[in-house]
Amino acid sequence: SAVISQKPSRDICQRGTSLTIQCQVDSQVTMMFWYRQQPGQSLTLIATANQGSEATYESGFVIDKFPISRPNLTFSTLTVSNMSPEDSSIYLCSVGRDGASTDTQYFGPGTRLTVL
Amino acid sequence: GENVEQHPSTLSVQEGDSAVIKCTYSDSASNYFPWYKQELGKRPQLIIDIRSNVGEKKDQRIAVTLNKTAKHFSLHITETQPEDSAVYFCAASMYSGGGADGLTFGKGTHLIIQP
């Protein structure tokens, strides 16, 4: 499976500010996804980020709040804008494999965000 | 959209016994069903998956079964060990050939293995 890294691993931010989370993969992948995991909860898909096209957002998530970039096949960023304490979560990127079994997804280590 | 229900939310079994976690999904177009294990403070790890053209898949002590008609799938862990203690998530998605959709997750099962 691909090696996936995220930066930062954790951060504590003040409300009203923004944080950009980076996701780096050691190989080229077509499909990248961003998820949120609120404390003690399951994972919820925020958006799908494919290189060369606009990100596709799930119901309840909007581009103004969670802008996403996907400049190449190994990198993506998610920005959490105008943060409030409700945004405190773990944010995870995942990648789908290219070639066979493209439906399989592997997760990055996550970014633990606390908003005060 | 897809909705995935997962039961039970907590499961406690004696070491060496079997554990079964069940999930149902709502969208008959879903065709890919992975299971993830998440230990405290760590990322979800894929442990097994099944596609809709298969009814059962096994990998050592772990097996998954799929009933497309009833739209439910289950995770079976035999001969449980302390290291199996974790939160397990089922998920569903639809793969259309042009690329996978994102995953819809169940709420998770906290599996506790009692020594």
Side-chain angles (χ1 to χ4, degrees), chain B residues 11 13-21 47-48 56-65 74-85 88 111 113:
Chain B
L11 178 60
V13 302
Q14 291 291 321
E15 182 178 351
D17 288 350
S18 295
V20 180
I21 302 170
I47 57 171
I48 196 167
E56 183 173 359
K57 183 177 178 180
K58 191 172 182 180
D59 182 3
Q60 300 183 329
R61 295 188 298 109
I62 295 173
V64 56
T65 58
S74 300
L75 177 71
H76 304 252
I77 305 174
T78 59
E79 301 172 13
T80 53
Q81 301 168 3
E83 53 265 36
D84 294 330
S85 294
Y88 290 80
L111 178 62
I113 307 302

Side-chain angles (χ1 to χ4, degrees), chain A residues 18-29:
Chain A
S18 298
L19 177 71
T20 295
I21 301 167
Q22 300 178 7
C23 180
Q24 179 78 52
V25 189
D26 70 341
S27 59
Q28 294 184 338
V29 293

Side-chain angles (χ1 to χ4, degrees), chain A residues 98-110:
Chain A
D98 278 15
S101 302
T102 55
D103 43 11
T104 306
Q105 290 186 34
Y106 299 96
F107 284 87

Side-chain angles (χ1 to χ4, degrees), chain A residues 29-85:
Chain A
V29 293
T30 303
M31 313 291 291
M32 292 184 80
F33 305 90
W34 286 97
Y35 292 83
R36 180 174 75 182
Q37 187 172 27
Q38 294 177 301
Q41 305 287 319
S42 183
L43 291 85
T44 302
L45 178 67
I46 297 172
T48 301
N50 294 335
Q51 195 267 338
S53 61
E54 296 286 329
T56 303
Y57 290 82
E58 297 300 303
S59 177
F61 298 96
V62 294
I63 187 171
D64 290 347
K65 176 68 175 178
F66 298 101
I68 288 171
S69 77
R70 182 79 200 273
N72 57 52
L73 291 174
T74 63
F75 187 77
S76 178
T77 67
L78 169 76
T79 299
V80 186
S81 304
N82 188 24
M83 288 184 285
S84 66

Side-chain angles (χ1 to χ4, degrees), chain B residues 28-97:
Chain B
S28 57
S30 291
N31 55 13
Y32 175 64
F33 307 94
W35 287 87
Y36 288 86
K37 174 184 180 183
Q38 188 175 34
E39 296 175 272
L40 191 63
K42 298 194 174 180
R43 76 185 81 185
Q45 295 275 8
L46 178 70
I47 57 171
I48 196 167
D49 56 11
I50 192 167
R51 295 171 179 84
S52 60
N53 58 345
V54 175
E56 183 173 359
K57 183 177 178 180
K58 191 172 182 180
D59 182 3
Q60 300 183 329
R61 295 188 298 109
I62 295 173
V64 56
T65 58
L66 171 65
N67 183 327
K68 287 189 296 182
T69 302
K71 290 190 281 188
H72 67 70
F73 56 112
S74 300
L75 177 71
H76 304 252
I77 305 174
T78 59
E79 301 172 13
T80 53
Q81 301 168 3
E83 53 265 36
D84 294 330
S85 294
V87 179
Y88 290 80
F89 293 100
C90 63
S93 75
M94 187 187 75
Y95 173 64
S96 61

